[in-house]
Amino acid sequence: MPDSAKLDALIVGAGFSGLYMLHKLRQEGFSAQVVEAGSGVGGTWFWNRYPGARCDIPSLEYSYSFDPQLEQEWEWTERYAAQGEILSYLDHVADRYDLRRDIAFDTRVTAAHWDEATSRWQVETDTGGSFDVQFLILATGALSEPKMPDLPGLEKFEGKVLHTAKWDDSVDLKGKTVCHFGTGSSGIQAVAAMSEYVGHLTVFQRTPSYAVPANNRPLEDGEQEAAKATYREKRDVARHSPLGFAAPPMPGSAKTFAPAALKERLEQAWNAGTTGLLNAFEDLLFDETSNELAAKFARGKIADAVRDPDDARKLTPDYPLGSRRLCSEIGFYDALNRDNVELVDVREEKVVDITAHAVITDKASYAADAIVLATGFDACVGAVLAIDIRGRGGQQIGEEWANGPRAFLGLTVSGFPNMFAITGPGSPSVLSNVVVSIEQHVEWVARCLCDMRASGKRVIEADADAEQEWMRHVDEVAQTTLFPRADSWYKGRTRDGRDVFMPYVGGVGAYRAKCDEIAAAGYEGFALS
Ligand code: FAD
Ligand code: N01
């Protein structure tokens, strides 16, 4: 694959977003290519090979819907597929639509500069390649730039340091003494899996998570066929739903339920996994009292699951349920009951140093052959900011976003013409079944490029006023929910220390309608020339 070319579009990233974007643009007759830093397709599912990694939205829903034949033919083996199976699926997609011939692997986009004279993007890669393209499409992932923790002395450690999002399959942790940091979705999965074969595991937790049992299981005979019989209808419901799930939120508020009925509803939701619990009541993410009833129930489940009362206390969150990403667990609380696992709350026991072979706190020393970091991502913006992107007048995207990321519809940034972000800040993507959002973003961008071609337009750019109004709306909607109540990666921080809530919480369906309305009105809020 050449790493230099003159094209209609360059797509950065070969995950769910980039693969579909390439397929879609090819179908519409545009010349397009993908540049991918990894050596294979899959994005999230290529990089996150840590033990226990799997999705927490049922695979029959967490998958592409754009080709009815693909969704009918692909067979999932489990309710929630493990990383390897999702990667096989994306490998299959790449082969099925012959995508690899237009993907440059092991190549990182380092810079993209808008050329005013030609109205095109000049893109550079770390392999010395360069692309001259009309459109730049960032399919770089909202959760793809790993975040390293600020741990004093980490550079002195002589064992292996593994981040869950850059996992090295060749490292064998069997029987080893491991210190693990982070108890979000990744950490919860990794701790449960590692606890079964490491010698000793010390889990350093900062903020506890609410974790719902995944109740994962093989798909039973006939179950998949039955689900596929109404696939089209279910996909359509998901596209117009609040969170991108086929099942809508259950009606009613927890506040109006009598205790026995409340318990029954919550047990039912709890057993349906994270999507079930988030859907337990229609006001769960909006009403403090309703949320607290569900949160209290979830806290009770933690107390029941964890034998040591002090560990149970440390593991109990105090923020509204769902205001940080709800986690899915398979054996996490069981792991903490094991003799080879101990829990350290770093808010009560501060990490003061890391030496060649140990993590030192202000209370004790914990030996380590390896350190595992499940410390998350520079979410929503990290992968974009890692590229030297310069728009009109040479303005740098990092400077433009220093006061908070801004993107009209989460898709385009004023001052950066002909640039699109898939799952950008201000889109609902990370607060939904992300594949549903990705398909919407990709289809909207493809439609926009087709409409421009049909009307003879060469440049599209978001109006600064429309963008500002969109970000104001994103914030306004977030403030009507309980999301801002927790400290989470949903929030970005401005240079002057202000929080900016990044995802659009107004719902996948409402967002889709807004995007379609704007396109139908001749791209209202954009300048076209
Ligand atoms: P990614 O899959 O992140 O792909 C982006 C690609 O861009 C990467 O391969 C990266 O290498 C490449 N890239 C970035 N910058 C550059 C550059 N400068 N040059 C070249 N290449 C570059 N979502 C759900 O809805 N349900 C789930 O159950 C779920 N589970 C998840 C589990 C894990 C462990 C993680 C981390 C995320 C999960 N997500 C889940 C979110 C998940 O990220 C999305 O669902 C989806 O996979 C994102 O696809 P994407 O193509 O947009 O981005
Ligand atoms: O990252 P996170 P993640 N000492 O940011 C802690 C998706 N996903 O990779 O919050 C101790 O959630 C940090 O603490 P705090 C999903 O969208 C899905 O787990 O900063 N701890 C936090 O607890 C998810 O939300 C699945 O106080 C330290 C943790 O590290 C997103 O990806 C699986 C620390 C990071 O949690 C990100 O999840 C995996 C320190 N010094 C991922 N520094 C599914 O199952 C940080 N932390 C679908």
Side-chain angles (χ1 to χ4, degrees), residues 12-13 15-17 36-37 43-45 47 50 55-56 62 109 139-141 434:
V12 192
F16 267 104
S17 299
E36 166 56 55
T44 289
W45 304 102
W47 295 108
Y50 62 84
C55 60
D56 69 352
Y62 183 68
V109 168
T140 43
V434 181

Side-chain angles (χ1 to χ4, degrees), residues 4-11 31-34 120 131-135:
S4 301
K6 188 165 182 176
L7 300 162
D8 292 328
L10 186 78
I11 301 157
S31 61
Q33 194 186 309
V34 172
R120 293 174 70 85
F131 293 87
D132 172 347
V133 296
Q134 188 182 355
F135 298 102

Side-chain angles (χ1 to χ4, degrees), residues 14-22 24 42 44-45 62-66 90 137-143 239 244 411 421-424 427-430 432-446 508 511-512:
F16 267 104
S17 299
L19 291 177
Y20 183 35
M21 194 76 245
L22 175 61
K24 192 77 192 154
T44 289
W45 304 102
Y62 183 68
S63 47
Y64 290 123
S65 72
F66 68 80
L90 290 169
I137 302 175
L138 302 170
T140 43
L143 297 164
R239 277 185 203 111
L411 286 166
I422 309 298
T423 74
S427 80
S429 48
V430 290
S432 68
N433 174 351
V434 181
V435 183
V436 172
S437 289
I438 285 172
E439 289 195 323
Q440 185 275 343
H441 299 329
V442 165
E443 286 160 14
W444 192 91
V445 171
V508 166
Y511 172 81
R512 176 183 297 271

